[in-house]
Amino acid sequence: MSRLSKLQEVLKNEKLDAILVTSSYNLRYMTNFTGTTGLAVITTEDAFFVTDFRYTQQAADQAKGFEIRRNIGPI
């Protein structure tokens, strides 16, 4: 079972809707992303990785299991 699947199971068990991961350390642990700009939104059913245009390809290569979204405005 992947880290993502385990976290989604915890979210279900704790009756939580989602988690936002912004810490670079936690982001790397959860997604394997090694870039410097990004965040992850994980729900019980979905996982999104948001980054800017510089890192979309890197995120697609590294953040397996996440839908990659490009940030086009201020967060």
Side-chain angles (χ1 to χ4, degrees):
M1 182 179 269
S2 72
R3 291 175 181 160
L4 177 58
S5 298
K6 288 178 185 177
L7 180 57
Q8 288 175 318
E9 191 64 33
V10 169
L11 290 173
K12 287 177 189 174
N13 292 340
E14 297 296 324
K15 296 179 176 49
L16 297 171
D17 295 325
I19 188 168
L20 174 65
V21 182
T22 59
S23 161
S24 60
Y25 299 107
N26 294 332
L27 198 60
R28 183 161 186 182
Y29 179 81
M30 282 305 305
T31 68
N32 296 315
F33 180 70
T34 60
T36 58
T37 303
L39 61 84
V41 178
I42 302 166
T43 70
T44 57
E45 302 296 323
D46 297 305
F48 302 97
F49 188 90
V50 182
T51 191
D52 66 35
F53 70 95
R54 298 171 296 167
Y55 295 106
T56 53
Q57 186 58 53
Q58 180 180 351
D61 294 341
Q62 294 177 340
K64 302 297 183 193
F66 286 79
E67 183 176 327
I68 309 304
R69 298 288 178 102
R70 192 175 117 209
N71 178 25
I72 56 172
I75 295 178

